[in-house]
Amino acid sequence: LRIFVGESDRHAGKPLYEWIVLQARSQGLAGATVVRGMMGFGAHSRLHTFKVERLSLDLPVVIEIVDAQEKLEAFLASIDDNVTEGLATLERVDVRIYRSGNQPAAGGPAAG
C-alpha cells in the first residue's frame, strides 16, 4: 500500500503521515516506512519542491505499508475518512525477506 500525502497535512494536530504509521502499527500491520520527496505535484497541479531559494514546507510524503492484501484493504477503509487529500495505491509485491534480526535466517543455525 502506498499513500501519498503532503508533509504539512495534519490529523488531530500531528503530521498525517505520523498518524497513519501509528494507526498501521496499532492495527498490527507488518511494517511501514515514510519517505519524503524532493519534488512533486498532485491533483491541484501545485509544484512542491525543495530548493535553496524556496524551501517548501509541504513536500510530498509517501507512506509505504506492506502486509497481506486483506489486511491492507481493511486498514485503508479504517483511515479513509481521515485522509482528505492525497492518493492511495494498492500494489502486489513479492516479499523475499522479512525478519526482525532476532531470528536465524532460513536454513541457518538456530540460536540457543
XYZ file of all heavy atoms in Angstrom:
852
model
N 0.861 -1.171 0.000
C 0.000 0.000 0.000
C 0.893 1.216 0.000
O 1.808 1.313 0.819
C -0.902 -0.016 1.234
C -1.742 1.227 1.502
C -2.744 1.485 0.388
C -2.467 1.066 2.838
N 0.648 2.140 -0.908
C 1.361 3.418 -0.930
C 0.346 4.530 -0.757
O -0.651 4.587 -1.490
C 2.096 3.615 -2.248
C 3.326 2.794 -2.383
C 4.111 3.215 -3.612
N 5.234 2.325 -3.770
C 5.678 1.897 -4.924
N 5.103 2.288 -6.044
N 6.698 1.076 -4.982
N 0.623 5.403 0.188
C -0.250 6.547 0.441
C 0.583 7.800 0.238
O 1.628 7.980 0.866
C -0.829 6.498 1.867
C -1.594 5.188 2.080
C -1.724 7.719 2.110
C -2.018 4.953 3.515
N 0.119 8.670 -0.653
C 0.816 9.904 -0.985
C 0.063 11.064 -0.349
O -1.124 11.264 -0.628
C 0.838 10.112 -2.508
C 1.559 9.031 -3.267
C 0.958 7.798 -3.504
C 2.834 9.247 -3.754
C 1.611 6.798 -4.216
C 3.500 8.255 -4.470
C 2.895 7.032 -4.698
N 0.730 11.821 0.509
C 0.140 12.988 1.166
C 1.168 14.111 1.162
O 2.308 13.921 0.740
C -0.320 12.675 2.613
C -1.431 11.629 2.622
C 0.834 12.250 3.494
N 0.780 15.267 1.670
C 1.699 16.382 1.814
C 2.298 16.405 3.207
O 1.666 15.998 4.182
N 3.515 16.880 3.289
C 4.216 16.940 4.569
C 3.474 17.786 5.595
O 3.525 17.511 6.787
C 5.618 17.509 4.319
C 6.511 17.548 5.512
C 7.902 18.058 5.152
O 8.036 18.906 4.245
O 8.855 17.595 5.790
N 2.748 18.795 5.148
C 2.052 19.686 6.085
C 0.637 19.213 6.427
O -0.029 19.815 7.260
C 1.998 21.108 5.522
O 1.186 21.139 4.368
N 0.162 18.123 5.807
C -1.166 17.595 6.133
C -1.198 17.135 7.585
O -0.233 16.535 8.070
C -1.530 16.440 5.206
C -1.714 16.869 3.764
O -1.872 18.080 3.518
O -1.689 15.997 2.882
N -2.308 17.413 8.270
C -2.406 17.134 9.701
C -3.640 16.309 10.033
O -4.642 16.339 9.331
C -2.511 18.444 10.490
C -1.284 19.332 10.386
C -0.260 18.881 11.399
N 0.885 19.733 11.477
C 2.065 19.459 10.905
N 2.214 18.386 10.191
N 3.077 20.265 11.049
N -3.547 15.594 11.149
C -4.682 14.911 11.758
C -4.552 15.095 13.262
O -3.537 14.710 13.854
C -4.692 13.418 11.415
C -5.829 12.692 12.047
N -5.751 12.173 13.318
C -7.083 12.438 11.608
C -6.897 11.615 13.623
N -7.728 11.760 12.599
N -5.535 15.718 13.877
C -5.544 15.971 15.327
C -4.253 16.647 15.787
O -3.692 16.298 16.821
C -5.793 14.677 16.092
N -3.758 17.584 14.995
C -2.596 18.368 15.388
C -1.241 17.766 15.084
O -0.229 18.431 15.221
N -1.179 16.505 14.672
C 0.116 15.893 14.356
C 0.186 15.625 12.861
O -0.838 15.587 12.184
C 0.358 14.623 15.169
C -0.490 13.439 14.787
C -0.059 12.143 15.476
C 0.064 12.297 16.956
N 0.263 11.040 17.681
N 1.399 15.441 12.329
C 1.509 15.163 10.892
C 0.675 13.932 10.515
O 0.677 12.923 11.225
C 2.998 14.890 10.701
C 3.664 15.612 11.826
C 2.707 15.512 12.983
N -0.042 14.047 9.394
C -0.901 12.956 8.935
C -0.105 11.677 8.709
O -0.548 10.592 9.071
C -1.634 13.362 7.653
C -2.563 12.319 7.039
C -3.670 11.936 8.010
C -3.136 12.837 5.720
N 1.097 11.803 8.127
C 1.902 10.609 7.875
C 2.245 9.895 9.189
O 2.258 8.672 9.248
C 3.170 10.929 7.077
C 4.156 11.832 7.771
C 5.106 11.314 8.652
C 4.158 13.201 7.544
C 6.012 12.143 9.292
C 5.059 14.037 8.171
C 5.977 13.506 9.052
O 6.880 14.326 9.683
N 2.498 10.646 10.243
C 2.807 10.048 11.545
C 1.577 9.320 12.099
O 1.676 8.196 12.591
C 3.254 11.135 12.516
C 3.634 10.623 13.883
C 4.089 11.742 14.806
O 4.632 12.757 14.319
O 3.892 11.596 16.027
N 0.416 9.961 11.997
C -0.822 9.338 12.462
C -1.086 8.035 11.705
O -1.446 7.028 12.300
C -1.988 10.308 12.311
C -3.291 9.718 12.726
C -3.770 9.588 14.000
C -4.281 9.137 11.867
N -4.999 8.958 13.987
C -5.327 8.677 12.690
C -4.378 8.965 10.497
C -6.468 8.067 12.176
C -5.505 8.357 9.980
C -6.529 7.918 10.817
N -0.868 8.044 10.382
C -1.101 6.850 9.567
C -0.179 5.717 10.009
O -0.618 4.571 10.179
C -0.941 7.169 8.069
C -2.091 8.070 7.598
C -0.865 5.878 7.241
C -1.921 8.623 6.198
N 1.102 6.005 10.207
C 2.047 4.968 10.626
C 1.670 4.423 12.003
O 1.706 3.206 12.231
C 3.495 5.503 10.620
C 4.453 4.529 11.309
C 3.947 5.762 9.183
N 1.276 5.288 12.925
C 0.876 4.823 14.254
C -0.390 3.968 14.188
O -0.520 2.976 14.915
C 0.691 6.007 15.200
C 1.986 6.762 15.540
C 1.683 7.998 16.379
C 2.998 5.860 16.220
N -1.308 4.321 13.289
C -2.507 3.505 13.090
C -2.131 2.133 12.531
O -2.661 1.111 12.956
C -3.493 4.207 12.145
C -4.148 5.431 12.729
C -4.989 5.088 13.935
O -5.857 4.231 13.884
N -4.723 5.752 15.043
N -1.217 2.108 11.566
C -0.771 0.841 10.975
C -0.137 -0.045 12.047
O -0.403 -1.251 12.108
C 0.220 1.103 9.841
N 0.667 0.554 12.896
C 1.312 -0.215 13.972
C 0.280 -0.736 14.965
O 0.334 -1.889 15.385
C 2.340 0.661 14.671
C 3.153 -0.069 15.693
C 4.291 0.811 16.169
N 5.106 0.101 17.124
C 5.363 0.547 18.337
N 4.888 1.710 18.741
N 6.121 -0.145 19.148
N -0.672 0.114 15.338
C -1.673 -0.305 16.324
C -2.587 -1.398 15.774
O -3.140 -2.188 16.537
C -2.507 0.884 16.802
O -3.401 1.315 15.798
N -2.734 -1.455 14.442
C -3.556 -2.495 13.829
C -2.749 -3.741 13.478
O -3.260 -4.672 12.860
C -4.274 -1.938 12.599
C -5.315 -0.884 12.974
C -6.131 -0.407 11.798
O -6.407 -1.158 10.864
N -6.532 0.853 11.832
N -1.481 -3.758 13.881
C -0.667 -4.955 13.719
C -0.164 -5.232 12.319
O 0.143 -6.386 12.003
N -0.057 -4.224 11.478
C 0.455 -4.451 10.124
C 1.948 -4.759 10.183
O 2.635 -4.410 11.150
C 0.166 -3.247 9.232
C -1.326 -2.966 9.012
C -1.527 -1.783 8.099
C -2.043 -4.183 8.463
N 2.457 -5.403 9.151
C 3.823 -5.927 9.159
C 4.893 -4.849 9.206
O 5.936 -5.034 9.824
C 4.041 -6.830 7.946
N 4.681 -3.729 8.554
C 5.705 -2.683 8.550
C 5.278 -1.480 7.746
O 4.411 -1.576 6.877
N 5.889 -0.343 8.050
C 5.598 0.902 7.336
C 6.855 1.753 7.272
O 7.680 1.716 8.189
C 4.485 1.675 8.029
N 6.990 2.498 6.199
C 8.112 3.409 6.019
C 7.582 4.711 5.428
O 6.729 4.691 4.543
C 9.164 2.818 5.052
O 9.640 1.592 5.588
C 10.329 3.763 4.833
N 8.108 5.830 5.908
C 7.750 7.138 5.372
C 8.947 7.677 4.600
O 10.069 7.690 5.110
C 7.370 8.128 6.503
C 7.082 9.518 5.936
C 6.189 7.605 7.290
N 8.687 8.124 3.371
C 9.724 8.676 2.516
C 9.324 10.099 2.136
O 8.201 10.330 1.670
C 9.919 7.821 1.243
C 10.998 8.404 0.361
C 10.228 6.384 1.611
N 10.230 11.034 2.330
C 9.989 12.442 1.982
C 10.520 12.694 0.581
O 11.667 12.383 0.271
C 10.719 13.313 2.991
C 10.490 14.779 2.832
C 11.252 15.481 3.954
N 10.934 16.880 4.000
C 11.820 17.811 4.305
N 13.062 17.472 4.595
N 11.466 19.077 4.339
N 9.670 13.264 -0.259
C 10.060 13.532 -1.637
C 10.785 14.857 -1.796
O 10.623 15.773 -0.998
N 11.576 14.941 -2.837
C 12.303 16.175 -3.145
C 11.466 17.130 -4.002
O 11.663 18.336 -3.969
C 13.585 15.850 -3.916
C 14.565 14.998 -3.130
S 15.330 15.902 -1.790
C 16.319 17.063 -2.687
N 10.524 16.540 -4.752
C 9.733 17.349 -5.671
C 8.518 16.550 -6.093
O 8.572 15.327 -6.182
C 10.578 17.703 -6.897
C 9.938 18.619 -7.874
S 11.142 18.970 -9.184
C 10.445 20.445 -9.837
N 7.404 17.231 -6.345
C 6.230 16.531 -6.829
C 5.052 17.461 -7.001
O 5.110 18.638 -6.653
N 3.976 16.926 -7.563
C 2.712 17.649 -7.659
C 1.607 16.628 -7.623
O 1.821 15.447 -7.862
C 2.636 18.541 -8.906
C 2.535 17.795 -10.200
C 1.285 17.505 -10.746
C 3.667 17.392 -10.879
C 1.181 16.818 -11.942
C 3.578 16.708 -12.076
C 2.332 16.419 -12.612
N 0.407 17.097 -7.286
C -0.725 16.194 -7.171
C -1.929 16.709 -7.929
O -1.801 17.388 -8.954
N -3.110 16.431 -7.400
C -4.366 16.735 -8.079
C -4.542 18.224 -8.383
O -5.163 18.585 -9.367
C -5.537 16.230 -7.242
N -3.972 19.089 -7.541
C -4.104 20.537 -7.770
C -3.045 21.082 -8.728
O -3.071 22.256 -9.063
C -4.003 21.300 -6.454
C -5.114 20.992 -5.500
N -6.416 21.347 -5.724
C -5.103 20.335 -4.312
C -7.169 20.933 -4.719
N -6.392 20.304 -3.853
N -2.107 20.247 -9.128
C -1.005 20.609 -10.029
C -0.079 21.672 -9.454
O 0.673 22.298 -10.189
C -1.519 21.059 -11.402
O -2.133 19.970 -12.053
N -0.123 21.893 -8.126
C 0.836 22.800 -7.492
C 2.155 22.063 -7.357
O 2.204 20.951 -6.858
C 0.358 23.221 -6.101
C -0.760 24.228 -6.116
C -1.040 24.751 -4.706
N -1.266 23.666 -3.758
C -2.469 23.259 -3.351
N -3.547 23.835 -3.799
N -2.577 22.273 -2.480
N 3.232 22.716 -7.788
C 4.544 22.115 -7.700
C 5.103 22.319 -6.297
O 5.129 23.429 -5.781
C 5.476 22.748 -8.745
C 6.790 22.039 -8.998
C 6.551 20.610 -9.469
C 7.589 22.799 -10.041
N 5.534 21.236 -5.672
C 6.158 21.274 -4.358
C 7.597 20.846 -4.566
O 7.859 19.774 -5.113
C 5.466 20.308 -3.398
C 4.003 20.582 -3.251
N 3.510 21.445 -2.307
C 2.944 20.119 -3.943
C 2.195 21.492 -2.413
N 1.823 20.698 -3.410
N 8.522 21.686 -4.148
C 9.925 21.388 -4.398
C 10.799 21.893 -3.262
O 10.412 22.804 -2.531
C 10.390 21.989 -5.739
O 11.739 21.591 -5.990
C 10.316 23.498 -5.743
N 11.965 21.287 -3.122
C 12.958 21.698 -2.149
C 14.082 22.371 -2.916
O 14.795 21.726 -3.667
C 13.495 20.482 -1.391
C 14.608 20.820 -0.448
C 14.332 21.340 0.804
C 15.921 20.626 -0.814
C 15.358 21.652 1.676
C 16.959 20.934 0.053
C 16.678 21.453 1.297
N 14.171 23.685 -2.773
C 15.239 24.433 -3.423
C 15.778 25.424 -2.408
O 15.048 25.896 -1.540
C 14.711 25.185 -4.650
C 14.211 24.260 -5.737
C 14.316 24.921 -7.064
C 13.883 23.928 -8.110
N 14.595 24.071 -9.316
N 17.053 25.756 -2.532
C 17.683 26.658 -1.574
C 16.962 28.000 -1.534
O 16.700 28.546 -0.463
C 19.182 26.854 -1.915
C 19.813 27.892 -1.012
C 19.923 25.538 -1.810
N 16.583 28.517 -2.696
C 15.940 29.835 -2.725
C 14.466 29.791 -2.305
O 13.874 30.817 -2.035
C 16.078 30.490 -4.108
C 15.399 29.764 -5.247
C 16.271 28.708 -5.914
O 17.379 28.436 -5.434
O 15.822 28.156 -6.933
N 13.873 28.591 -2.262
C 12.465 28.480 -1.869
C 12.248 27.154 -1.144
O 12.022 26.127 -1.760
C 11.578 28.559 -3.104
C 10.115 28.686 -2.765
C 9.273 28.749 -3.999
N 8.481 27.527 -4.049
C 8.042 26.968 -5.131
N 8.305 27.485 -6.284
N 7.325 25.873 -5.084
N 12.347 27.183 0.170
C 12.183 25.967 0.949
C 10.703 25.670 1.117
O 9.994 26.406 1.782
C 12.849 26.120 2.325
C 14.355 26.336 2.308
C 14.857 26.527 3.732
C 15.060 25.178 1.654
N 10.230 24.620 0.511
C 8.834 24.233 0.627
C 8.596 23.579 1.973
O 9.388 22.771 2.438
C 8.450 23.259 -0.494
O 7.121 22.828 -0.316
N 7.482 23.931 2.600
C 7.102 23.305 3.852
C 6.057 22.223 3.626
O 5.520 21.675 4.572
C 6.546 24.365 4.813
C 7.525 25.460 5.195
C 6.851 26.507 6.064
C 8.735 24.875 5.898
N 5.769 21.943 2.357
C 4.759 20.933 2.041
C 5.274 19.980 0.973
O 4.666 19.814 -0.073
C 3.464 21.606 1.600
C 2.302 20.621 1.554
O 2.357 19.600 2.274
O 1.344 20.860 0.803
N 6.413 19.362 1.253
C 6.970 18.412 0.304
C 6.117 17.144 0.260
O 5.416 16.831 1.222
C 8.410 18.070 0.702
C 9.389 19.228 0.531
C 10.735 18.871 1.148
C 9.561 19.589 -0.930
N 6.187 16.411 -0.838
C 5.432 15.166 -0.926
C 5.981 14.130 0.058
O 7.183 14.062 0.302
C 5.657 14.695 -2.363
C 6.497 15.703 -3.039
C 6.933 16.712 -2.052
N 5.077 13.339 0.621
C 5.441 12.270 1.545
C 4.736 11.000 1.068
O 3.553 11.031 0.732
C 5.008 12.613 2.990
C 5.233 11.444 3.926
C 5.752 13.837 3.488
N 5.473 9.901 1.045
C 4.911 8.608 0.665
C 5.041 7.673 1.865
O 6.129 7.524 2.414
C 5.637 7.992 -0.554
C 5.013 6.641 -0.922
C 5.621 8.937 -1.739
N 3.916 7.076 2.259
C 3.917 6.074 3.312
C 3.758 4.731 2.629
O 2.778 4.515 1.912
C 2.765 6.286 4.317
C 2.799 7.694 4.907
C 2.825 5.255 5.442
C 1.657 8.540 4.482
N 4.728 3.840 2.808
C 4.650 2.505 2.228
C 4.377 1.521 3.354
O 5.076 1.520 4.364
C 5.953 2.139 1.519
C 6.195 3.007 0.307
C 6.869 2.270 -0.827
O 6.792 1.029 -0.874
O 7.460 2.946 -1.662
N 3.358 0.699 3.166
C 2.962 -0.292 4.166
C 2.855 -1.639 3.468
O 2.231 -1.749 2.418
C 1.617 0.092 4.820
C 1.709 1.489 5.436
C 1.224 -0.948 5.862
C 0.386 2.033 5.927
N 3.475 -2.646 4.071
C 3.477 -3.975 3.483
C 2.755 -4.952 4.407
O 3.018 -4.989 5.602
C 4.922 -4.470 3.231
C 4.926 -5.876 2.664
C 5.660 -3.516 2.310
N 1.832 -5.710 3.844
C 1.130 -6.778 4.555
C 0.258 -7.504 3.544
O 0.294 -7.184 2.355
C 0.289 -6.226 5.710
C 0.181 -7.231 6.858
O -0.181 -8.400 6.591
O 0.449 -6.855 7.998
N -0.541 -8.434 4.012
C -1.461 -9.163 3.137
C -2.536 -8.214 2.609
O -2.936 -7.269 3.295
C -2.110 -10.311 3.907
N -2.999 -8.471 1.409
C -3.970 -7.594 0.760
C -5.209 -7.367 1.613
O -5.684 -6.242 1.734
C -4.376 -8.145 -0.606
C -5.358 -7.226 -1.321
C -5.660 -7.655 -2.739
O -4.971 -8.505 -3.309
N -6.684 -7.073 -3.315
N -5.731 -8.408 2.233
C -6.949 -8.282 3.043
C -6.735 -7.317 4.211
O -7.594 -6.503 4.523
C -7.395 -9.648 3.586
C -7.656 -10.706 2.536
C -6.371 -11.348 1.988
O -5.375 -11.511 2.731
O -6.360 -11.681 0.788
N -5.578 -7.409 4.849
C -5.273 -6.526 5.974
C -5.102 -5.087 5.504
O -5.531 -4.148 6.177
C -4.026 -7.011 6.712
C -4.265 -8.296 7.500
C -3.027 -8.769 8.206
C -2.809 -7.976 9.485
N -1.694 -8.526 10.296
N -4.484 -4.918 4.332
C -4.294 -3.562 3.791
C -5.622 -2.938 3.385
O -5.844 -1.743 3.605
C -3.324 -3.598 2.618
C -1.892 -3.992 2.966
C -1.062 -4.138 1.704
C -1.268 -2.988 3.923
N -6.501 -3.730 2.788
C -7.830 -3.225 2.404
C -8.593 -2.770 3.643
O -9.210 -1.697 3.657
C -8.629 -4.306 1.677
C -8.075 -4.710 0.334
C -8.450 -3.781 -0.806
O -9.064 -2.716 -0.574
O -8.110 -4.137 -1.954
N -8.558 -3.569 4.712
C -9.245 -3.212 5.963
C -8.625 -1.962 6.580
O -9.338 -1.070 7.062
C -9.189 -4.373 6.946
N -7.302 -1.869 6.545
C -6.615 -0.695 7.086
C -7.000 0.555 6.314
O -7.334 1.591 6.900
C -5.094 -0.896 7.036
C -4.337 0.323 7.458
C -4.308 0.718 8.785
C -3.665 1.095 6.530
C -3.623 1.855 9.181
C -2.978 2.231 6.909
C -2.955 2.614 8.241
N -6.965 0.470 4.996
C -7.310 1.618 4.155
C -8.734 2.083 4.433
O -8.990 3.283 4.552
C -7.121 1.260 2.680
C -7.118 2.401 1.684
C -6.150 3.499 2.079
C -6.788 1.885 0.304
N -9.649 1.155 4.586
C -11.036 1.511 4.909
C -11.116 2.209 6.266
O -11.896 3.142 6.449
C -11.920 0.263 4.900
N -10.272 1.802 7.213
C -10.323 2.386 8.557
C -9.771 3.806 8.623
O -10.132 4.570 9.513
C -9.571 1.501 9.556
O -8.169 1.633 9.420
N -8.891 4.179 7.692
C -8.316 5.532 7.720
C -8.902 6.451 6.653
O -8.643 7.653 6.651
C -6.779 5.507 7.571
C -6.359 5.006 6.183
C -6.138 4.706 8.699
C -4.922 5.295 5.824
N -9.697 5.910 5.739
C -10.195 6.638 4.574
C -10.814 7.992 4.920
O -10.502 8.997 4.283
C -11.186 5.774 3.815
C -11.627 6.399 2.505
O -10.826 7.144 1.894
O -12.763 6.149 2.084
N -11.661 8.055 5.913
C -12.336 9.310 6.258
C -11.386 10.372 6.799
O -11.740 11.548 6.845
C -13.443 9.060 7.280
C -14.617 8.293 6.678
O -14.736 8.262 5.437
O -15.398 7.736 7.470
N -10.188 9.989 7.218
C -9.239 10.927 7.808
C -8.193 11.448 6.820
O -7.391 12.293 7.179
C -8.531 10.257 8.991
C -9.514 9.941 10.094
O -10.044 10.825 10.736
N -9.794 8.663 10.275
N -8.200 10.917 5.612
C -7.271 11.381 4.577
C -8.098 12.191 3.586
O -8.728 11.634 2.699
C -6.551 10.195 3.884
C -5.580 10.705 2.831
C -5.826 9.340 4.913
N -8.097 13.511 3.765
C -8.965 14.367 2.964
C -8.339 14.763 1.627
O -9.046 15.168 0.714
C -9.338 15.640 3.737
O -8.142 16.332 4.110
C -10.140 15.295 4.984
N -7.016 14.660 1.516
C -6.318 14.923 0.262
C -5.217 13.914 0.124
O -4.573 13.551 1.102
C -5.681 16.322 0.262
C -6.547 17.393 -0.341
C -5.769 18.683 -0.523
O -4.872 18.719 -1.381
O -6.083 19.635 0.194
N -4.980 13.451 -1.085
C -3.889 12.520 -1.305
C -4.269 11.444 -2.290
O -5.271 11.541 -3.002
N -3.468 10.393 -2.311
C -3.637 9.295 -3.246
C -3.203 8.018 -2.538
O -2.224 8.027 -1.794
C -2.746 9.519 -4.484
C -2.575 8.376 -5.473
C -3.856 8.145 -6.256
C -1.422 8.676 -6.410
N -3.928 6.954 -2.753
C -3.533 5.653 -2.212
C -3.554 4.642 -3.344
O -4.498 4.606 -4.133
C -4.475 5.223 -1.095
N -2.495 3.843 -3.430
C -2.429 2.782 -4.426
C -2.149 1.467 -3.717
O -1.416 1.431 -2.730
C -1.325 3.039 -5.482
O -0.044 3.033 -4.847
C -1.550 4.351 -6.200
N -2.745 0.424 -4.210
C -2.514 -0.910 -3.666
C -1.825 -1.709 -4.756
O -2.352 -1.843 -5.869
C -3.839 -1.552 -3.258
C -3.765 -2.811 -2.434
C -2.955 -2.597 -1.160
C -5.158 -3.287 -2.080
N -0.642 -2.210 -4.454
C 0.154 -2.905 -5.449
C 0.598 -4.255 -4.920
O 0.836 -4.417 -3.732
C 1.377 -2.059 -5.797
C 0.969 -0.692 -6.333
C 2.105 0.310 -6.332
O 3.249 -0.110 -6.526
O 1.826 1.490 -6.130
N 0.696 -5.187 -5.809
C 1.147 -6.527 -5.448
C 2.679 -6.510 -5.346
O 3.355 -5.958 -6.207
C 0.703 -7.518 -6.512
C 1.043 -8.939 -6.200
C 0.302 -9.868 -7.162
N 0.725 -11.228 -6.998
C 0.379 -12.009 -5.986
N -0.396 -11.536 -5.043
N 0.797 -13.245 -5.909
N 3.198 -7.128 -4.294
C 4.645 -7.238 -4.131
C 5.004 -8.687 -3.840
O 4.178 -9.473 -3.385
C 5.193 -6.343 -2.995
C 4.962 -4.875 -3.300
C 4.603 -6.715 -1.658
N 6.231 -9.019 -4.106
C 6.753 -10.345 -3.808
C 7.783 -10.178 -2.689
O 8.918 -9.762 -2.932
C 7.400 -10.921 -5.074
C 7.888 -12.339 -4.881
O 7.504 -12.987 -3.886
O 8.666 -12.806 -5.741
N 7.381 -10.452 -1.456
C 8.269 -10.283 -0.310
C 9.277 -11.423 -0.308
O 8.902 -12.591 -0.287
C 7.465 -10.252 1.014
C 8.408 -10.176 2.208
C 6.488 -9.095 1.015
N 10.543 -11.091 -0.335
C 11.608 -12.084 -0.387
C 12.261 -12.297 0.977
O 12.735 -13.381 1.271
C 12.677 -11.657 -1.398
C 12.119 -11.393 -2.795
C 11.405 -12.579 -3.337
N 12.365 -13.620 -3.607
C 12.264 -14.513 -4.543
N 11.215 -14.515 -5.317
N 13.194 -15.416 -4.714
N 12.337 -11.236 1.771
C 12.927 -11.324 3.105
C 12.096 -10.456 4.036
O 11.739 -9.331 3.696
C 14.384 -10.809 3.123
C 15.274 -11.665 2.225
C 14.926 -10.765 4.544
C 16.676 -11.109 2.051
N 11.768 -10.991 5.210
C 11.083 -10.221 6.252
C 11.477 -10.831 7.588
O 11.003 -11.891 7.969
C 9.560 -10.264 6.064
C 8.807 -9.527 7.158
C 8.953 -8.149 7.307
C 7.966 -10.196 8.027
C 8.275 -7.465 8.295
C 7.286 -9.519 9.026
C 7.445 -8.157 9.155
O 6.778 -7.477 10.143
N 12.414 -10.186 8.258
C 12.858 -10.703 9.550
C 13.225 -9.556 10.472
O 13.565 -8.481 10.028
C 13.997 -11.695 9.392
C 15.141 -11.273 8.519
C 16.226 -12.356 8.434
N 16.097 -13.219 7.296
C 16.912 -13.199 6.242
N 17.919 -12.363 6.176
N 16.726 -14.040 5.253
N 13.169 -9.838 11.757
C 13.407 -8.794 12.758
C 14.867 -8.649 13.149
O 15.223 -7.703 13.824
C 12.595 -9.102 14.019
O 13.117 -10.258 14.649
N 15.706 -9.586 12.781
C 17.096 -9.555 13.209
C 17.309 -10.421 14.433
O 18.423 -10.738 14.795
N 16.224 -10.822 15.084
C 16.312 -11.692 16.252
C 16.080 -13.154 15.887
O 16.016 -14.003 16.756
C 15.282 -11.272 17.305
C 15.581 -9.897 17.843
O 16.735 -9.509 17.938
N 14.545 -9.153 18.174
N 15.893 -13.410 14.599
C 15.610 -14.765 14.141
C 16.752 -15.236 13.261
O 17.373 -14.446 12.567
C 14.340 -14.794 13.306
C 13.160 -14.121 13.936
C 12.054 -13.904 12.892
O 12.124 -14.378 11.787
N 11.053 -13.152 13.266
N 17.040 -16.541 13.245
C 18.058 -17.019 12.303
C 17.518 -16.952 10.884
O 16.312 -17.016 10.665
C 18.272 -18.479 12.733
C 17.005 -18.856 13.448
C 16.486 -17.583 14.072
N 18.397 -16.792 9.934
C 17.997 -16.800 8.520
C 17.468 -18.179 8.179
O 17.856 -19.180 8.789
C 19.188 -16.441 7.640
N 16.599 -18.243 7.194
C 16.034 -19.535 6.773
C 17.170 -20.479 6.429
O 18.080 -20.132 5.699
C 15.114 -19.329 5.574
N 17.124 -21.660 7.027
C 18.157 -22.652 6.761
C 19.406 -22.473 7.613
O 20.294 -23.306 7.601
N 19.485 -21.352 8.348
C 20.655 -21.089 9.195
C 20.521 -21.758 10.539
O 19.464 -22.282 10.897
N 21.593 -21.741 11.314
C 21.544 -22.385 12.633
C 20.650 -21.621 13.597
O 20.595 -20.397 13.549
C 23.007 -22.360 13.088
C 23.624 -21.232 12.335
C 22.879 -21.155 11.018
N 19.931 -22.329 14.418
C 19.075 -21.698 15.420
C 19.919 -21.253 16.592
O 20.862 -21.909 16.987
C 18.003 -22.687 15.888
N 19.570 -20.066 17.102
C 20.283 -19.553 18.285
C 19.844 -20.373 19.493
O 18.693 -20.750 19.622
C 19.965 -18.075 18.488
N 20.735 -20.647 20.403
C 20.352 -21.489 21.501
C 20.746 -20.933 22.780
O 20.639 -21.222 23.835
